[in-house]
Amino acid sequence: MLDERNNAVILSSDGAARLSPDAKVNNDVAKLSDHIIICGLHNLGFRVLELLLEAQVGVVVVDAAPDSNFADLALARNVPLIRQDSRSELALQRAGVERAAALIAVGDNDLHNLETVLAAHELNPLIRHVTRIYSPQIGERMIKSIPNARALNVAKLTAPTFVTAALSSQSQILHLFEIGPEEFAVVQDRASSKGILQDLYGQDVSPLMRQSNGDKPQICPRPNTPLEQDDLVTVAGRINDLVRLEEVKLSQQDVEQARRERKGRPEPRPTSRMQRRKLRRQRVFLTPAAFLRDMDRPFRITLVAIGLVVLVSTLFFLIFNHDKVQTGNPLTDFIAALYFTMTAINSNASVSDMPGWYNQLYSVILIVVGTSLLGVTYGYVTNFIVTARLNQLLGKQEATRMEDHVVVCGLGNVGFEVARGLAERGEAVAVLELDDNKRYNSPIRAMGIPVLHADMRNPESLDLVNISKARCLAIMRGNDQANLETALLALEKNPKLLVVLRMFDSRLAGRVEKTLSIQTARSTSTLAAPYFVGAALDFKVVTAFYVGQIPFFVAEIAIEEGGALNGMTIRDLYRRRGVAVLAYIGDTKVVQNKLEGSFATRQNTPTYNPGPDFILHAGDTIYFVASHERISSIYSLNRPS
């Protein structure tokens, strides 16, 4: 095979001329304009890529060392892939940064992402930047320096979903959020009778999911969908509408409970007077017991030996030296004999004047044995005091006594936010982290949360946090295999344990839930990707939540002049994209109702649950809810043709 003209043309063995891979990439990129550049092709980068392709947006990927599997998938979809460092001006120029609409930097390193953004900004000051940044200091500084830049923290975006899953509320309310001044709720309900969805739940709520007898879930079902009794139905609507809805039977108590869980409770869970007394008694008796239990076995044997030596020596002086120690008072005699024993062990000064060879021989034996035992004891005591102090600092004793608590494994960016969110909601939390130099160890301990350093895949490590008495285990490490191993090991020790599992692969997460008896597996990449896509395409993701194994997102988008959304009815939007419109905000202007041929003045006020015949107009803002794969498809309808 002959490569000529700087890798532009390759002559194959049959004499046919073909473009080299680099030349093909350059040609493909040259055809693009107003495209999106993705810097970093790993879990999050690939999820972003999928959504952008769904939105029918041109995409170029830049990554010097992409995930091989994701790279193959990208190439199979004819996405140009530039295998160069994204911080290189040459790589960005090859990606067409001068013509691009936005750049999304989703590498794992803040500094790498920042360098990429700065290099792209120098080449094209007008390009929109969306960057994955964990450090708030770096993110804030970048936003101040580059007005058209957005810094998104994946941990802060995704942690609330894990916190909600770990709380495991028995309420019907799955999620709370606001649109304008109104508070919305996502509610799950069992259909009380057979009928039509709209007849049972009315027109003031938006159906999100219907599932019947283990069948595949139906996403955003039509209002005329037939329901069977006991079908599981999930709807979204304003809280006031849901409380009035007879079918849902949502109580105000459930609403208040959901609000407390969402906003957090500064105080711990209330306990009764009897429970408080029981806890005080446990502290009194458990502290000495825990002290002895934490001792090494040789230390306990040494203490027993010292006790026997002291007892025997005290009896010896009482019997064989009664003229020295006996005064007629048994208590005084015993104290005197004990005094002779202790001073003899140290210096023999008190028995030097005692006559008789037996006293001298016994003193020699007592000095040798006693000083040896004391030396061992001093060593163990010193070691134990230091160890006990460290264990107290690291929270070992507190964690092993916890019950009905939440164990968080992994104290990275996501783990820290999850642990803090649970603590703010009044949950008892213990943390298991392998690295004793983790940056979040001290902040978590400052919150009063015990942190133990051990490998969570070892059974003994899980015993340190009393996993058999825990209520929930939230595994937040950035390693899918280690997370899964820990979950299965914990379930062996506590089959009733609620497991909340972080996984990068969303498809694997769904399969794990179905087959391995793990209640909740969530993908941070799947949860975070729509936020990055929304920022790049200039629409806003308001909130995210899960219904079963399916992530849903509430988004806000302004309707553009010249796009297919302009003039479309709510019914047509649902038919073409399968999304539910929760609210719209229209400009104050006179518009024509095409269906009725009349004119009306529309005010700039929110309107909730618009009817199917409502017509969307340019300048309006709509709030819609959609599943993960549908959210970006609205953008393709909104693009001016």
Side-chain angles (χ1 to χ4, degrees):
M1 183 176 289
L2 178 64
D3 189 354
E4 298 180 347
R5 293 195 304 172
N6 194 24
N7 291 332
V9 176
I10 295 178
L11 297 179
S12 62
S13 57
D14 59 3
R18 296 183 177 89
L19 289 176
S20 69
D22 286 347
K24 183 179 183 306
V25 168
N26 293 338
N27 283 355
D28 291 341
V29 174
K31 301 174 185 177
L32 297 175
S33 62
D34 292 330
H35 56 286
I36 308 294
I37 301 174
I38 300 176
C39 297
L41 189 60
H42 295 274
N43 289 284
L44 178 56
F46 184 71
R47 304 303 167 210
V48 170
L49 173 62
E50 287 184 313
L51 292 183
L52 289 174
L53 293 178
E54 182 71 25
Q56 301 177 15
V57 176
V59 183
V60 178
V61 177
V62 181
D63 194 333
D67 184 286
S68 58
N69 184 41
F70 293 147
D72 292 340
L73 292 173
L75 293 174
R77 301 183 187 190
N78 296 317
V79 175
L81 173 58
I82 299 174
R83 297 176 183 266
Q84 291 180 258
D85 193 324
S86 61
R87 296 170 293 183
S88 164
E89 291 187 4
L90 177 60
L92 294 175
Q93 288 171 342
R94 286 190 62 197
V97 68
E98 295 88 353
R99 307 183 309 277
L103 179 142
I104 303 176
V106 286
D108 293 329
N109 185 281
D110 283 3
L111 187 58
H112 190 290
N113 292 337
L114 178 62
E115 289 184 68
T116 299
V117 168
L118 294 177
H121 181 67
E122 290 180 0
L123 295 172
N124 183 358
L126 300 179
I127 193 173
R128 186 181 301 117
H129 304 280
V130 185
T131 316
R132 177 184 190 172
I133 295 289
Y134 286 111
S135 170
Q137 292 79 14
I138 294 177
E140 291 174 5
R141 184 64 179 176
M142 185 187 72
I143 293 172
K144 290 179 180 178
S145 303
I146 306 175
N148 53 342
R150 289 281 307 278
L152 300 181
N153 187 323
V154 172
K156 290 185 179 296
L157 294 175
T158 60
T161 302
F162 290 103
V163 172
T164 301
L167 292 174
S168 185
S169 173
Q170 299 300 316
S171 170
Q172 290 176 284
I173 299 179
L174 302 181
H175 188 64
L176 289 178
F177 60 96
E178 289 95 15
I179 295 179
E182 290 288 338
E183 191 174 25
F184 278 68
V186 179
V187 175
Q188 204 164 58
D189 181 59
R190 292 278 181 186
S192 60
S193 61
K194 184 177 181 179
I196 302 300
L197 193 152
Q198 183 172 300
D199 294 342
L200 288 175
Y201 292 93
Q203 299 181 1
D204 293 331
V205 298
S206 299
L208 302 182
M209 184 186 293
R210 175 247 183 185
Q211 191 168 14
S212 177
N213 297 326
D215 295 341
K216 185 177 180 180
Q218 188 175 357
I219 308 299
C220 292
R222 295 178 180 275
N224 60 354
T225 300
L227 297 178
E228 299 293 332
Q229 187 174 359
D230 291 332
D231 278 0
L232 189 61
V233 179
T234 306
V235 297
R238 290 181 295 177
I239 284 182
N240 293 335
D241 294 332
L242 290 168
V243 170
R244 290 193 297 264
L245 190 58
E246 184 176 350
E247 172 65 26
V248 174
K249 297 181 176 62
L250 182 65
S251 68
Q252 195 63 39
Q253 183 178 0
D254 288 338
V255 174
E256 294 302 325
Q257 174 68 17
R259 285 171 177 162
R260 285 194 298 270
E261 290 179 352
R262 181 191 178 204
K263 298 178 180 178
R265 297 185 299 269
E267 72 280 357
R269 292 179 178 178
T271 57
S272 65
R273 181 179 299 177
M274 184 177 298
Q275 288 174 322
R276 289 195 295 270
R277 289 178 179 175
K278 182 179 178 181
L279 288 174
R280 284 196 295 268
R281 287 196 300 269
Q282 287 178 341
R283 291 192 186 100
V284 171
F285 293 105
L286 281 177
T287 300
F291 182 84
L292 294 173
R293 185 179 62 247
D294 289 342
M295 290 181 182
D296 294 331
R297 186 170 181 270
F299 189 14
R300 292 197 294 267
I301 294 174
T302 303
L303 289 180
V304 172
I306 289 178
L308 290 175
V309 169
V310 171
L311 178 61
V312 171
S313 297
T314 302
L315 294 176
F316 176 85
F317 288 125
L318 279 173
I319 295 172
F320 294 100
N321 295 280
H322 57 85
D323 58 329
K324 293 285 185 181
V325 300
Q326 291 190 2
T327 62
N329 187 328
L331 178 61
T332 305
D333 295 343
F334 179 81
I335 294 175
L338 179 62
Y339 171 77
F340 282 127
T341 297
M342 299 308 297
T343 54
I345 290 176
N346 286 281
S347 63
N348 196 32
S350 298
V351 296
S352 59
D353 57 344
M354 288 186 178
W357 62 269
Y358 52 87
N359 279 325
Q360 296 174 357
L361 177 62
Y362 183 77
S363 298
V364 171
I365 296 173
L366 182 60
I367 290 172
V368 172
V369 174
T371 53
S372 298
L373 290 175
L374 282 179
V376 173
T377 302
Y378 291 152
Y380 272 116
V381 167
T382 302
N383 178 70
F384 183 79
I385 290 174
V386 174
T387 304
R389 176 59 181 165
L390 290 175
N391 284 341
Q392 182 181 5
L393 180 64
L394 302 179
K396 178 180 176 182
Q397 293 186 0
E398 181 180 353
T400 54
R401 294 197 299 269
M402 281 185 167
E403 295 183 7
D404 194 35
H405 57 295
V406 180
V407 177
V408 177
C409 289
L411 202 54
N413 293 291
V414 178
F416 170 73
E417 295 294 341
V418 171
R420 181 169 66 175
L422 290 168
E424 289 175 350
R425 286 157 178 79
E427 295 291 321
V429 181
V431 172
L432 200 59
E433 166 56 44
L434 179 61
D435 186 359
D436 58 357
N437 292 317
K438 211 75 170 184
R439 61 179 293 191
Y440 294 119
N441 290 344
S442 296
I444 283 293
R445 289 195 185 103
M447 301 177 194
I449 299 174
V451 181
L452 283 79
H453 300 293
D455 191 338
M456 63 185 186
R457 292 172 293 183
N458 294 332
E460 296 80 5
S461 301
L462 294 177
D463 292 335
L464 292 175
V465 290
N466 202 14
I467 199 65
S468 60
K469 298 293 183 65
R471 180 184 63 79
C472 175
L473 174 65
I475 311 174
M476 298 291 115
R477 280 189 66 183
N479 185 314
D480 282 1
Q481 180 176 335
N483 291 352
L484 187 55
E485 288 179 21
T486 304
L488 297 176
L489 178 61
L491 287 172
E492 290 180 3
K493 290 179 170 289
N494 185 355
K496 297 181 180 179
L497 187 69
L498 170 64
V499 176
V500 178
L501 184 64
R502 173 192 180 185
M503 303 198 79
F504 286 97
D505 191 330
S506 58
R507 297 172 180 83
L508 178 60
R511 291 167 183 164
V512 163
E513 281 194 11
K514 291 179 181 178
T515 58
L516 298 182
S517 300
I518 293 176
Q519 299 91 333
T520 306
R522 300 286 184 256
S523 167
T524 51
S525 301
T526 300
L527 284 168
Y531 289 91
F532 286 84
V533 172
L537 300 182
D538 203 21
F539 69 85
K540 178 183 178 182
V541 176
V542 177
T543 188
F545 58 92
Y546 265 79
V547 179
Q549 300 169 357
I550 300 175
F552 282 80
F553 298 86
V554 178
E556 169 192 340
I557 191 169
I559 300 173
E560 295 188 14
E561 188 77 42
L565 283 180
N566 186 20
M568 183 180 291
T569 65
I570 298 294
R571 180 185 289 106
D572 290 338
L573 175 58
Y574 174 84
R575 178 177 55 81
R576 296 184 62 175
R577 290 294 183 264
V579 302
V581 177
L582 300 177
Y584 76 88
I585 301 177
D587 293 333
T588 302
K589 57 185 179 181
V590 177
V591 296
Q592 181 182 11
N593 188 319
K594 296 181 180 180
L595 295 179
E596 300 178 1
S598 59
F599 294 85
T601 301
R602 306 217 339 272
Q603 302 296 325
N604 187 15
T605 56
T607 301
Y608 301 98
N609 299 305
D613 296 328
F614 176 78
I615 300 175
L616 305 176
H617 297 273
D620 292 353
T621 299
I622 62 171
Y623 293 83
F624 64 94
V625 58
S627 57
H628 171 262
E629 68 276 3
R630 298 181 186 179
I631 184 171
S632 58
S633 65
I634 300 298
Y635 177 80
S636 62
L637 289 178
N638 198 38
R639 294 179 67 184
S641 55

